[in-house]
């Protein structure tokens, strides 16, 4: 009898626990577009990101390429609908002189990469190669200007070289001589990178004066070229930096402000990318959730100076950062289901803040930090993070459906964080998509989603999950973790019920 009571009690608690996961979609409040640029990426001259990862050179007979860019990478990124790519750094951008990377390759200056390993950089991948690659990918380029060791004049000339009409100056003559007559029309320009650290160790007050000089000189007086100028924001909860920018830079000289956030356990002990404990996993998830507060508090500051939300908040570096894998090149790390959890959770947060967050760039695209692609000579694998971004691409440029969520907690010892996160959108054809992430790697979740007024009678979906949160793809087994068809959801009379396994990401599509 005692045993039976215990079982019933357990079942009740379990049921009670399950009943906590409730989501309501406010379809009547769907107004804001989720910019596709939230799904952007970042490529830096670091480790094997550019060379080997994206670019293998035109003379490479072993790896099929187009103008030196790997064909397998091009295909994978086009399948992802990559909307933009930030380049050339990161800290590398803070000492990069773009003129070193143009013209005949045998005449380009070799430089030392002062940010990443002091290796020789032959500059064979430069402005033309990057912008042509973006065209191949159908992605908008996002250039980071060197405001540390560079000059205002260099930035002004970079804009002219890339954007101005033919024959307007020696710079556009140079562009033509280098094989490109029509301008690329680069819209996104980051003015500096981490100016509080590798970008010059500046104070906010010093930075804003310099920013204004660059932002004014790079455009004509009224910015008829439509440049989207992005100021450096904080990489920590330093909201006074944001306040200094917002208060002092006229809104006509500022289109975006960037923040950085890495999910790192501890900078002194970052832990292995694929052999980690449950505690390390939990701490990574706590760090990933911090982006919610960083976005909310930065947005509050921005709202005070820009109530109409004209200036975008841009998270142009984000992702998990662990120790470099043994034997790996700089910042090379494996990518496991833990990273899929960071991606699913973070992208839900970005979507839900789409009114202010209008661009983000995962760090970094290939072979560095939380990559979507890893390469090894002629081999390539798609990581769990790739699969999450691919599943979530349905949200690109769709209309956000705001939601309310009550979720169970993911508990570790005395600490707890929200287990389930979600975001939803309606696309141009009227289909509703809901993305769900359960970061609890021990407990599954039963979720009830109310969609008042919905006539949906049909639900399909895909799921990314695996037995262990450490699971990942390898070059010998590249399909160990891949999305599967998901059938455990039912919808009827405006109520959708979903069963989520531990550590899983699900994207559902609802139709009438
Ligand atoms: O993404 C790696 C580095 O992290 C970037 O170069 C820098 O901007 C940040 O600190």
């Amino acid at each position: 009898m005692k045993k039976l009571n215990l079982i019933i009690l357990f079942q009740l608690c379990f049921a009670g626990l399950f009943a906590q996961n409730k989501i309501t979609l406010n379809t009547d409040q769907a107004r804001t577009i989720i910019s596709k640029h939230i799904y952007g990426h970042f490529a830096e001259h670091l480790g094997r990101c550019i060379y080997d990862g994206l670019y293998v050179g035109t003379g490479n007979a072993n790896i099929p390429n187009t103008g030196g860019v790997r064909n397998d990478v091009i295909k994978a990124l086009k399948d992802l609908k990559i909307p933009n790519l930030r380049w050339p750094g990161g800290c590398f951008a803070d000492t990069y002189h773009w003129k070193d990377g143009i013209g005949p390759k045998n005449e380009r200056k070799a430089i030392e990469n002062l940010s990443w390993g002091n290796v020789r950089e032959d500059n064979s991948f430069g402005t033309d190669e990057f912008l042509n690659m973006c065209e191949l990918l159908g992605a908008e380029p996002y250039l980071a200007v060197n405001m540390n060791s560079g000059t205002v004049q260099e930035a002004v000339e970079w804009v002219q070289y890339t954007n101005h009409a033919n024959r307007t100056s020696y710079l556009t003559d140079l562009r033509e001589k280098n094989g490109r007559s029509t301008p690329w029309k680069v819209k996104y320009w980051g003015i500096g990178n981490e100016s509080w650290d590798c970008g010059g160790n500046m104070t906010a007050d010093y930075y804003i004066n310099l920013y204004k000089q660059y932002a004014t000189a790079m455009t004509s007086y009224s910015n008829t070229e439509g440049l989207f100028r992005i100021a450096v924001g904080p990489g920590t909860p330093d909201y006074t930096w944001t306040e200094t920018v917002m208060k002092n830079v006229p809104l006509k000289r500022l289109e975006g402000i960037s923040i950085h956030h890495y999910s790192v356990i501890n900078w002194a002990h970052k832990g292995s990318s694929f052999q980690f404990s449950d505690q390390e996993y939990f701490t990574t998830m706590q760090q990933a959730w911090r982006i919610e507060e960083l976005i909310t508090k930065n947005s509050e500051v921005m709202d005070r100076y820009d109530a109409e939300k004209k200036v975008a908040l841009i998270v142009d570096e984000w992702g998990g950062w662990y120790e470099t894998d043994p034997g790996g090149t700089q910042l090379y790390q494996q990518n496991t289901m833990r990273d899929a959890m960071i991606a699913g959770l973070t992208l839900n947060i970005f979507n839900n803040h789409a009114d202010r967050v209008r661009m983000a760039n995962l760090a970094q695209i290939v072979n560095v930090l939380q990559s979507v692609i890893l390469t090894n000579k002629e081999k390539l694998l798609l990581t769990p993070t790739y699969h999450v971004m691919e599943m979530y691409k349905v949200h690109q440029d769709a209309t956000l459906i705001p939601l309310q969520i009550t979720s169970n907690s993911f508990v570790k010892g005395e600490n707890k964080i929200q287990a389930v996160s979600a975001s939803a959108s309606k696309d141009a054809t009227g289909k509703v998509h809901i993305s769900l992430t359960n970061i609890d790697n021990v407990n599954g979740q039963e979720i009830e989603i109310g969609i008042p007024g919905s006539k949906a009678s049909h639900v399909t979906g895909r799921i990314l999950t695996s037995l262990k949160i450490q699971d990942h793809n390898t070059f010998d087994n590249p399909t160990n973790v891949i999305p599967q068809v998901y059938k455990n959801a039912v919808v009827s009379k405006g109520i959708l019920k979903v069963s989520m396994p531990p550590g899983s990401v699900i994207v559902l599509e609802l139709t009438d």
Side-chain angles (χ1 to χ4, degrees), residues 42 44-46 86 88-94 115-116 193-194 196-199 260 262 267 316-318 321 331 362-364 368-369:
F42 169 37
E44 179 165 13
H45 289 245
L46 195 182
R86 176 176 182 244
C91 298
F92 179 78
D94 299 322
S115 305
W116 302 110
N193 164 73
E194 297 197 348
W196 29 266
D197 185 34
C198 61
H260 291 176
Y262 286 100
W267 286 105
D316 60 13
E317 289 186 29
W318 68 273
W321 190 326
L331 305 196
L362 177 62
Q364 297 192 6
V368 168
L369 300 177

Side-chain angles (χ1 to χ4, degrees), residues 166-210:
N166 262 4
R167 309 283 161 88
T168 47
S169 70
Y170 87 92
L171 291 151
T172 59
D173 295 349
L174 197 55
R175 182 180 71 215
E176 200 165 5
K177 193 169 150 218
N178 291 340
R180 173 79 186 202
S181 47
T182 44
W184 288 278
K185 292 275 175 206
V186 179
K187 178 175 175 186
Y188 296 101
W189 294 83
I191 302 185
N193 164 73
E194 297 197 348
S195 304
W196 29 266
D197 185 34
C198 61
N201 265 110
M202 302 173 192
T203 61
D205 287 326
Y206 183 81
Y207 171 77
I208 49 148
N209 284 325
L210 211 48

